[in-house]
Amino acid sequence: MNRIKLLSEQVANQIAAGEVVERPASVVKELVENSLDADAKKVSVEIGAGGRSLIRVTDDGFGMSRDDALLCLERHATSKIQRAEDLASIATMGFRGEAVPTIASVSRFTLITRERETDSPEGTQILINGGTITEVKAAGSAPGTSIEVRQLFFNLPARRKFLRTEETEAAHIQHYLTLAALAFPEVAFTFVKDGRNVWQLPAVKSGAATSNHIEALRERFRALLGDEKLLPVNFSASLEENLRSEETEISFETALPEKSEIVNRKSQIQIWGLIGSPGVSRATRDGQFVFVNRRPVENRGVNYALIEGYHNALMKGRFPVCCLFLEIDPAAVDVNIHPAKREVKFHREFEIRKFVAQAVKETLLAFHSDVAKADLVTESPGAQRTKFQPTVISAPALPNFPEKLKPSPATPPQISPAAQTPLKMGFSSAPTATISPQSQIANPKSEISKSAGASPTFISNLPTSSSATPLLNVPLRLIGVVGKLYVLLESDRGLVLLDQHAAHERILYEQMLTRLEQNGITPSQKLLLPETIELPPRDAQFLREQLAALTRLGVGLSEFGERTFLLDALPPFVKVPDTRRFVFDLVDELRAAGREVNLTRLGEHTVAKTVCRHAVKANDPLGGAELENLVEDLRCCAMPYTCPHGRPTLIEMNYRELEKKFGRTQ
């Protein structure tokens, strides 16, 4: 008796539906992707009961003829690839040709379509019940395609009972549509849930320039997710791939060529979009939207690269907010590794990760350096910029490193003293003195004149951009100090609070790193009793590759056997109670940072811990001179808006927020 039998086409489709159609959101995803591939300019999605009872997707795309409409219901029938070689360079959202027949096999399915280029008003309507075609007839319709899916999984009750509540399934659908709408701002999207319009997004026009695409994305992001403080990213680099000749094409021949040549192929990678400014973060990765060639994807390497790019501008346990697009040669990315196409694999994973981290880091540095750019424009030709030299005293316990600011016995500035001396930097405890960053940098030691009774005047010719003007790029006026820790400042936009401890941490941190870079090697102190540490083979091999870099950072590690290392020196500012745990943590930290992405991570981490101990603390009263130098040095920092641990140094409450809190506006 034969035990092996061929499955019927209907059963095969239902099995395939288990991979392609996981839930109603999977149906919406496949149908909307087909609409986008068909060059649709308008896409409408209507659902009922969370997609269980109704899913209707309508577009104004190319449409199909009667023959194509019937053929698209066959498995693996597609217009998007023709040969096996096409799999190596997929430029469309869908390509397998499984979605439509598998969806039709587990629902009551109606397809109405009409070609866009035909003059005839007659289209085609096909009715399918659980994979069986029941009727094919002519029908009038607008150009494009409309697919209606009712009673999903009606013939698979086991699958139907595993669906979640209507609200949960509707939330999954809305999440995917959010991704699709962000990926294609030039397409109008309408979403109707249980007869109620959830959103109706008009198409956003954008030109060919990347800056226009970013502005269109910002407008679509604002309409969907609200107004966040986001920074524009526009980064490009050359991606070089070294492929063997047989890797550049797909062949069904079993015999490989005797010799294979190395083919050097250069392609361009462009990274653009929006990322959160310092202080904008989430407790989870829900605020991260990553697209590869307009396809929403998940990739752990890109997630790590985002955190690496933010580095010490992000608090521990927080995640960046972003809407980032990677435009890359389709041949350099594999989108066919996941049945639902949620994950992708890059041919040069490390290179992609490095470029994403670099794009984020350069964007943050550009945001922080906007003050310097404005100063270069407004400085007189003979003016010299103030160098980064904070008022510090040397610390015997930390050779070659600065210590905290020496607290002054003077009391903190009061709220409204009438006769105090104005601070340099343009700060004054009098309510009439103001300062612009341009005049401060051009002549930082000059006194700011004031006239009694005059109202504050703010400089209005500051550089503006599509993103918010950096806080240190607006004129500020000192009001006072609260709790001997928080410095109160006023800007033309509202109230500004400065954390003196966090600000001084940032200043000392950047000064220490500057000295590390200038000296090229960190001071090292020999241990009284060297210790041996045995590592697993994988960790031992990784650590062996990092020994030269660790030596430059002051960590004396040397090989003492096949898997054993000898630790005999540490930087003078590193205290290690458990050497074995220190080495394991060191390996984990360097591996998480990524090979060659940031080999100075250990040095930065230990420096951050050091400056926290030696920075100005709460209850350390600072006089006018210390506050002057503190804010002046903060302006000169590369990334002044966060401390080395990612906490904000400055917080702003604009007048609109203040008016809402006092009930003046709703």
Side-chain angles (χ1 to χ4, degrees), residues 245-365:
S245 56
E246 65 266 17
E247 294 177 358
T248 60
E249 60 182 11
I250 297 177
S251 175
F252 292 102
E253 297 181 8
T254 56
L256 294 176
E258 296 180 1
K259 294 183 179 180
S260 57
E261 298 179 355
I262 298 296
V263 179
N264 292 327
R265 181 171 59 193
K266 285 189 176 181
S267 61
Q268 198 76 4
I269 177 174
Q270 186 171 15
I271 302 171
W272 62 275
L274 301 168
I275 62 171
S277 60
V280 178
S281 63
R282 294 287 185 271
T284 65
R285 288 194 172 95
D286 290 344
Q288 294 180 5
F289 306 103
V290 179
F291 304 84
V292 176
N293 296 339
R294 300 290 188 100
R295 181 191 301 277
V297 300
E298 298 174 4
N299 184 270
R300 293 180 63 186
V302 174
N303 292 336
Y304 285 133
L306 286 170
I307 296 178
E308 183 64 37
Y310 274 87
H311 192 17
N312 53 41
L314 192 69
M315 290 179 63
K316 188 175 182 180
R318 306 289 293 183
F319 297 93
V321 173
C322 72
C323 187
L324 214 56
F325 289 79
L326 279 67
E327 304 289 347
I328 189 173
D329 181 4
V333 56
D334 185 0
V335 299
N336 200 23
I337 64 170
H338 193 279
K341 302 186 291 290
R342 281 197 297 263
E343 299 177 7
V344 297
K345 184 177 181 181
F346 298 105
H347 186 263
R348 304 280 290 183
E349 183 89 21
F350 162 67
E351 299 289 340
I352 300 298
R353 176 174 169 175
K354 182 181 72 173
F355 287 141
V356 171
Q358 185 178 348
V360 173
K361 186 175 182 180
E362 289 185 4
T363 300
L364 294 175
L365 287 174

Side-chain angles (χ1 to χ4, degrees), residues 405-423:
L405 288 171
K406 184 177 181 181
S408 168
T411 57
Q414 302 300 315
I415 296 298
S416 302
Q420 277 198 350
T421 304
L423 298 178

